[in-house]
Amino acid sequence: MQSPQTVARHVGKVLEVVERKTQLGPDASSQRLMRSWQRSLNTHQVDPARVNTPRIVTSQELREHRDRLEAFMRISREGIDRLHAQVLPANYCVLMTDGAGVTLDYRTVPSLEKEFREQGFRPGTCWSEDTEGTCGVGTSLIDGQPTLVHRDEHFRTHNIAFTCSSAPIFGMEDSPIAILDASALHSPTGRDSQALVFRMVIERAQQIENAFAYYTLRPYWVLQCGRLAEYLSVQTDYLIGFDENGRIMGGNRRAKLELFTRDGTPPEFIHDLFECTAHDILATAHGRPGQAFPLRIQGSGERLFANLHSPALRKRTSIRPEPEMVRQELAKREPKEHLRGFSHLAIEDVRLRDNVERALKIANRDIPAMLLGETGTGKEAFSRAIHDYSERRDKPFVALNCAAIPENLIESELFGYRDGAFTGARNKGARGKILQADGGTLFLDEIGDMPLQLQCRLLRVLAEGEVLPLGAETPIPVNLHIICATHQNLPELVREGRFREDLYYRLNAAVFMLPPLRERTDIGQVIDKVLRDESAAMGREGQELDSEVRRALEQYEWPGNIRQLRHAMRYACAIADGNALRPEHFPPEIFSAASDCMTPPNMPPMDRTPLQMPAMARPAAPSAPRTPVSMTDAEATLRAQMIETLRRNQWQVKKSAEELGMSRATFYRKLDKLQIVPPNRRDGW
């Protein structure tokens, strides 16, 4: 704590500079600091005599600040570590704040950790100018320029022993999204002693800024440009992203400042910036893979050298891809890969096709996916397809069913543990599912059954990109794609306090609702696909469905969805003597449900038992077509529309259902509810 004399002396200096316009120094940086002192006193009304430590946000607020910059923090971590390694011998800490001045990431000096913490250097500390007055972080945020604030150049008396070197990191919107800072509690009196650290901070901030710009431009072709070809592998001057049409989609800040605005009008296409087209660049880069090639700037003829990086994401047409288009796209891969992704799934259903189209777009983005749907609808198969289609396909796909593991074992299964972490632990510990999935995809099925305390730890993994095994002291960095699934109503669980709201909003960035089998318009293709799979698994290729069986399978409600269908088909394939699969090979409830659907109310359902499975009996012809009683106007209109469509299509249910936009299962239910009887049923077949 500063002595009263020191406080009085510093407050007097502040008043002299602000009120009497006394200069802090002769250079431009001193002029900037003087303006900051004026803002601090007159605009922010910060008390320079205040000697308490800076404001620290709550842990919940810190999580929210970190969540907003999750991807950026992951990218910046390496740069922070390298800067810390450089300045640690001189007892400097390193911190990263967001655009509000809140410290998100921090590296301390182990031998001085307690002292740094007592002075307010820790995660969650707010260093904005409106709370701390002139300081490295706060003034850099206001000015958008690197700032060195040395000792009594700080506005508040509490900070006048520190030296701070800060540099802003700009996002694609040309405003600071973060500040990188190196600070020391004690330093020589001379300001020049900080020049080297100040330069290190600026250079590292530029590297992080370029890394984040490249990450943001990943969906496009990216030109990495520099003035010397030999330096391109270690230094980037300009980054320029453009699409397949040559339209410029963005660039790093230096490219915007020095290239995009040099003639006053920002270039729209690559040929507006360089003396060549995008096609020329692609052809040149293809002919010289991995080698730098020259480019000349329009107008000036100035030469740059460039490397071209291909898009990290596959480009998709804006038109909804038909199933065959998706298969053709996947077939372009190497022969061994042609079954990967979605090509082996039945995707003719309109809703499922929409899901596949969206999944193709997010497969290579850091966007968690949430799969919703009834049990057995194929959520794990869909998540595996996303993984197999993505660039992570050669990395692990790890699945964990949160409802199938006892609650007391989920934590060790998910996070792993060190040796001796608990009684019964393996001698060498165990890697949890998160570490097993590092680099690949982690699929968490039935996420709604995860205990609350583990939800908090999972949220930290998502926010920090690191996992702390049980019994461990040091977190382990991980890079994985999270896909979760549930059949429960998560918003309702959130309202009941059984699921964390912050975790829910983090996981449901991309939501896919998988339709139940009974509502799928491609149920026939699903049945055929399952039949091929199960007959092949039994070594009995060539098995076929009896026509009566097919109709019953398509009409059945399938409460267990595809899983139930697969089990029923597996059993039928196993017990059938020949290639024909008949009613007696399937569970009886499938056929009783199908007969009930088309049997008039005044007739009893057909009697079927496991021991007696005859062919479908033909019902006696009613004396006259049934006339519905008690029908609304809407139902009457729908009944007339269905009858007209059926007649036009010669009473073909499949064609009529498709024309009216219904699944066949729904169409059959409407037939029964509205008492529409096919002519062959009225005529006794």
Side-chain angles (χ1 to χ4, degrees), residues 51-64:
V51 295
N52 61 302
T53 57
R55 180 175 68 89
I56 299 174
V57 301
T58 66
S59 57
Q60 174 62 31
E61 290 173 328
L62 178 58
R63 282 195 298 269
E64 293 173 356

Side-chain angles (χ1 to χ4, degrees), residues 169-175 177 209-210 212-217 239 241 249-253 256 260:
I169 299 174
F170 287 80
M172 299 304 287
E173 302 302 323
D174 297 329
S175 60
I177 59 172
E209 183 176 284
N210 285 337
F212 186 63
Y214 180 77
Y215 171 83
T216 308
L217 293 171
L239 289 171
M249 307 305 294
N252 67 342
R253 188 163 182 259
K256 294 176 181 178
F260 291 2

